[in-house]
Amino acid sequence: MQTLSPKLAPATPWYRHRWPWLLMSGPAVVVVAGIFTAWLAISRADALVADDYYKQGKAINKDLRRDHEAQRLGAAIGIGYDPAAAVLRGRLQMREVPVVGQEGQTLIISLVHPTQPSKDRTLMVRPAADGTFSVPLAELEQARWRLVAEDGGHAWRLHGNWVWPQQRSIEMNAEAYAPAE
């Protein structure tokens, strides 16, 4: 005697169902994102991290002395950029003339880009007797520049932030800020 058994449909393999693929897609995306993040971390330089942070920390006291010296001398500087002429112009004023050696007659102006060190610029200028100066500057990119002006002997310095082109010029005055202690 034969028994009648209901006819069963052949079982489909697991890879033909959508649920295993849907469940595996989440971890697969995480693995791909992790590999991409690791590649970014390895291939890109850490531009904002200083290798000699300890030395820089020790140099803070020296920097504060330079700020105090600028205050004592009554140093002030006004700087403006003329994009049509591609010239950076300014005027340095000192209440008290410092004892100047040969390198003290040079003024060093540093324009530091906020995120890309390759765009930083250092300009060496020699102010005229009345303190005015001008130096060619090809192009000044729109950014919030960190501006540092110091003498050639590194005895004093002035610093500030310049948002170009919103601010057409900048005035830095040692009396306007009291250096942090």
Side-chain angles (χ1 to χ4, degrees):
M1 261 185 84
Q2 277 187 352
T3 31
L4 295 173
S5 62
K7 204 163 203 188
L8 297 173
T12 55
W14 69 270
Y15 54 85
R16 297 258 184 210
H17 296 280
R18 66 177 169 195
W19 291 110
W21 294 108
L22 183 65
L23 292 173
M24 286 187 289
S25 66
V29 167
V30 171
V31 168
V32 170
I35 291 170
F36 179 70
T37 303
W39 173 78
L40 281 177
I42 292 168
S43 66
R44 304 283 193 254
D46 299 331
L48 299 178
V49 177
D51 290 336
D52 57 349
Y53 66 92
Y54 181 72
K55 288 181 183 177
Q56 288 180 359
K58 288 177 70 175
I60 287 174
N61 288 336
K62 181 180 178 185
D63 289 344
L64 290 177
R65 283 193 297 271
R66 293 168 49 196
D67 292 342
H68 287 294
E69 182 65 13
Q71 238 178 353
R72 185 185 72 75
L73 295 171
I77 191 167
I79 296 177
Y81 179 64
D82 182 5
V87 172
L88 188 73
R89 292 188 177 98
R91 181 173 181 172
L92 174 67
Q93 298 174 334
M94 305 284 269
R95 183 178 61 233
E96 182 179 325
V97 179
V99 178
V100 179
Q102 190 172 3
E103 42 179 342
Q105 298 169 353
T106 303
L107 181 64
I108 302 169
I109 299 172
S110 301
L111 292 160
V112 181
H113 194 275
T115 58
Q116 298 175 357
S118 62
K119 294 186 178 182
D120 293 355
R121 301 193 183 156
T122 301
L123 308 168
M124 307 283 266
V125 297
R126 291 202 179 263
D130 65 349
T132 60
F133 61 87
S134 92
V135 62
L137 184 60
E139 184 181 349
L140 191 59
E141 180 181 309
Q142 179 176 348
R144 183 174 192 214
W145 293 93
R146 177 86 176 135
L147 189 64
V148 179
E150 58 190 338
D151 69 320
H154 302 289
W156 58 267
R157 75 169 180 178
L158 296 171
H159 51 88
N161 293 316
W162 187 17
V163 183
W164 167 258
Q166 288 83 358
Q167 294 175 314
R168 301 307 281 173
S169 63
I170 181 172
E171 297 285 331
M172 295 186 299
N173 187 334
E175 302 297 328
Y177 63 86
E181 294 298 330

